[in-house]
Amino acid sequence: MALTDYRLGAKAIARRHWWPRGWTLLALGIAAIFALPVVMVASAALSPAGDTWRHLSETVLPLYVTNSIILMLGVGIGTAVIGAGTAWLVTMCRFPGQRLFEWALFLPMAVPAYVLAYTYTGLFDVAGPVQGLLRDLTGWAVRDYWFPDIRSMPGAIAMMVLVLYPYVYLVTRAAFLEQSVCALEIGRTLGCSPWGAFWRIGLPLARPALATGVALSLMEALGDFGTVQYFAVDTFTSGIFRTWLGLGDPVSAAHLAALLLVAIAVLMLGERYARGSARFHHTTTRYRPLPRLALKPVSAVVATLACALPILLGFVLPAIALSIWALGEDGMALGPFLTYARNTLTLALPTAALAVGLAVLLGYGQRLGLSRVGRVAIRVAAMGYAIPGAVIAVGVLVPIAGLDNAVDAWMRRTFGVSTGLVLTGSIAAVVFAYLVRFLAVAFNTVESGLEKVTPSMDAAARSLGRSPLDTLRRVHLPMMRASLTTAALLVFVDVMKELPATLMMRPFNFDTLAIKAYELASDERLPEAALPSLAIVFVGVIPVILMSRAIAKARPGSQSAGS
């Protein structure tokens, strides 16, 4: 019996040592697959440049660089001012509507920038209702007055600021909620005004969070295609599309994608440096409810307007306009809409399920105690969210097209049969590109859910003879149901909104809601584009509300946080 017990113990020890190694190999395999698009873009960019690339570098490349820099500066300043300013107001002050603004300021995040661009073009263009009303009231002709051109660089910056400032609001409000009252009270006793306390204490303490939010906004702005293309603003992303689809030169498109990848890497390193070099710390671990400052009447009106305008311009007005157009006579018929919705579900549902499954495998492997190599591999696999969809599309299409051509050539030589393009332009290729892009969204959510499961639960299950997989199935997954649902929902919504990768990789005659909204708006059929755009917006509202509720409970020491 003792020998049997010893052998069973030896087997258990062997299994215990095998699990981390097996999961490390799994993480390395997934990381290698998901890093392939980036590697392909980099390797393709190292190939010899042709006449097309030389022509691009001599003519439009400086314009791409200049416009991208201007776009980044405008979006960075705008999102920082609106995001950090509104976060401080709703967190530290009391004024009419403050409770409503706490969660409503997230709503513009549900609106893709290209949908906002279509909406405001329909409202403010020459043939739109705003200029039409102006001419009716004044009797002016079109050439008798000046009106700002919405289809311009300032217009593109405004559209992106309105939908991207919630990234800054999200992280800076969380940082403000975590700040110690003691530091703020000391500043007030030393003579700081409310504005001085924000500028000299609150903002420095939140500087790493502010840098993170701005960096996320800039990554999204650099990867945007629908807005800049519709407004005729030439950036790297529009250049990639024009080179790939218009000129038919994947190598030159890969060169542009590599330059855009370098810009994203610089942003990521800058964000890491800003976060790592910050030296502003809390001096106490004691947290009390934040003493919200009651604003004077004039200041309260200003604060209310400052918080209401981003919501009105970024969500309420577009939602009303899209609803009116969608219900009008020129709106899209229900039959075609259901077809585009079905195509969208065909891509979004399997992507969400696969992303959550992979995230669980990687997150649980990390919980079992991966080696440093395994942990690095997981971070590599989850880095795709920082990479624009156009870059990922190029990185996926290049190897898949090469594989299809190689298989077709071999079948012709061996059997005299042509297989054609099996993977290129298939749903499987599009789903893979989505997984590369959005795995990080699911992984971060699942990782957060796993951290809430106390390690004693693992120990108890193992003491009862459960294997790691059985522990995952019987213990962790039931306890993580809310996190898994949230992760799937976030990926689902991101897939619905994704335009560049879908536009480049979709199967022939396979239109999604995002694709159809883009095509109809490009053809100036804005009322028809309203219904698919509205569907994308209102589905996106669900995770926005979930995030706002989670942030509201983030204050350390609060009852909600501690429960």
Side-chain angles (χ1 to χ4, degrees):
M1 180 67 68
L3 181 60
T4 302
D5 291 342
Y6 172 77
R7 288 175 177 174
L8 290 175
K11 290 180 180 179
I13 292 173
R15 286 197 301 269
R16 187 164 58 249
H17 287 286
W18 178 85
W19 281 107
R21 289 198 298 270
W23 240 284
T24 296
L25 293 176
L26 177 64
L28 288 173
I30 294 174
I33 294 173
F34 279 64
L36 181 62
V38 179
V39 173
M40 293 306 300
V41 168
S43 61
L46 296 177
S47 59
D51 294 335
T52 302
W53 173 249
R54 283 191 289 271
H55 173 72
L56 292 175
S57 61
E58 293 172 358
T59 55
V60 294
L61 184 58
L63 181 63
Y64 294 161
V65 174
T66 302
N67 285 346
S68 297
I69 292 175
I70 294 174
L71 188 69
M72 290 170 59
L73 287 174
V75 171
I77 294 172
T79 54
V81 171
I82 297 177
T86 54
W88 179 264
L89 288 173
V90 300
T91 305
M92 300 296 182
C93 302
R94 285 184 303 179
F95 55 93
Q98 176 255 330
R99 293 290 184 185
L100 172 66
F101 295 141
E102 283 183 356
W103 64 268
L105 281 163
F106 285 101
L107 290 176
M109 185 183 283
V111 185
Y114 57 83
V115 170
L116 205 67
Y118 308 155
T119 305
Y120 275 102
T121 298
L123 290 174
F124 293 101
D125 216 358
V126 175
V130 174
Q131 291 199 48
L133 178 62
L134 178 63
R135 290 192 295 269
D136 292 339
L137 293 176
T138 60
W140 292 338
V142 173
R143 297 183 180 180
D144 293 338
Y145 64 94
W146 176 86
F147 198 87
D149 185 10
I150 189 68
R151 300 194 190 193
S152 61
M153 174 65 79
I157 292 174
M159 298 300 102
M160 293 187 191
V161 168
L162 285 173
V163 300
L164 296 178
Y165 83 82
Y167 285 98
V168 181
Y169 173 79
L170 174 73
V171 293
T172 53
R173 182 168 180 244
F176 291 147
L177 284 167
E178 294 168 359
Q179 289 184 2
S180 170
V181 176
C182 300
L184 300 174
E185 289 179 342
I186 291 173
R188 296 300 302 274
T189 60
L190 294 177
C192 280
S193 63
W195 171 251
F198 165 72
W199 188 254
R200 301 179 63 181
I201 300 174
L203 192 60
L205 286 173
R207 196 177 75 181
L210 179 63
T212 300
V214 172
L216 287 172
S217 301
L218 295 181
M219 291 177 196
E220 291 288 336
L222 274 179
D224 178 87
F225 168 72
T227 308
V228 295
Q229 177 73 9
Y230 190 64
F231 281 3
V233 176
D234 292 324
T235 62
F236 277 109
T237 308
S238 60
I240 291 171
F241 274 83
R242 191 175 296 115
T243 304
W244 181 285
L245 301 178
L247 301 178
D249 191 339
V251 175
S252 296
H255 279 78
L256 287 174
L259 290 178
L260 181 56
L261 195 61
V262 169
I264 294 295
V266 170
L267 282 176
M268 294 177 65
L269 292 175
E271 182 271 329
R272 287 284 182 182
Y273 175 78
R275 185 170 57 182
S277 62
R279 293 295 180 266
F280 300 93
H281 305 289
H282 304 302
T283 57
T284 178
T285 57
R286 297 177 60 193
Y287 289 89
R288 303 198 308 271
L290 292 171
R292 298 182 186 272
L293 175 67
L295 299 180
K296 297 179 180 179
V298 176
S299 299
V301 171
V302 173
T304 302
L305 290 176
C307 293
L309 279 176
I311 303 169
L312 179 66
L313 298 177
F315 183 81
V316 176
L317 184 59
I320 292 174
L322 289 173
S323 300
I324 293 173
W325 292 337
L327 296 175
E329 295 181 357
D330 296 330
M332 178 180 290
L334 183 60
F337 170 78
L338 293 177
T339 300
Y340 307 136
R342 182 193 62 200
N343 292 342
T344 303
L345 292 175
T346 302
L347 295 175
L349 288 176
T351 303
L354 289 171
V356 171
L358 290 171
V360 169
L361 289 176
L362 296 177
Y364 190 60
Q366 185 171 262
R367 185 181 179 90
L368 289 177
L370 291 180
S371 63
R372 176 178 294 183
V373 175
R375 293 194 299 270
V376 171
I378 287 177
R379 295 302 168 186
V380 171
M383 66 178 287
Y385 192 69
I387 303 173
V391 176
I392 291 177
V394 172
V396 172
L397 282 172
V398 169
I400 285 182
L403 177 63
D404 271 344
N405 290 328
V407 170
D408 182 66
W410 181 80
M411 290 293 291
R412 285 174 180 270
R413 290 194 307 268
T414 307
F415 301 103
V417 178
S418 175
T419 59
L421 299 178
V422 178
L423 295 176
T424 305
S426 65
I427 291 178
V430 181
V431 170
F432 174 65
Y434 287 155
L435 288 174
V436 175
R437 179 87 165 88
F438 301 123
L439 178 62
V441 177
F443 176 76
N444 291 336
T445 308
V446 169
E447 185 182 33
S448 176
L450 280 169
E451 289 175 352
K452 296 177 182 178
V453 181
T454 176
S456 61
M457 302 291 288
D458 299 68
R462 299 299 295 276
S463 67
L464 295 174
R466 301 296 183 186
S467 67
L469 277 180
D470 205 25
T471 303
L472 173 65
R473 182 173 62 88
R474 292 177 176 269
V475 178
H476 293 84
L477 292 183
M479 297 180 68
M480 294 170 55
R481 189 175 292 110
S483 296
L484 298 178
T485 303
T486 301
L489 183 60
L490 289 172
V491 174
F492 183 90
V493 172
D494 279 334
V495 170
M496 281 192 66
K497 296 193 297 185
E498 175 62 29
L499 180 61
T502 314
L503 193 61
M504 294 181 69
M505 301 187 62
R506 61 186 170 127
F508 178 73
N509 200 27
F510 189 89
D511 292 331
T512 64
L513 292 173
I515 294 283
K516 203 60 188 177
Y518 165 75
E519 290 180 346
L520 291 171
S522 300
D523 293 338
E524 303 300 332
R525 296 158 65 184
L526 294 174
E528 292 183 62
L531 185 56
S533 300
L534 196 63
I536 295 171
V537 170
F538 278 102
V539 172
V541 168
I542 301 174
V544 166
I545 294 175
L546 294 177
M547 283 190 293
S548 67
R549 293 181 60 186
I551 291 297
K553 299 177 181 179
R555 169 72 181 166
S558 65
Q559 293 180 355
S560 59
S563 60

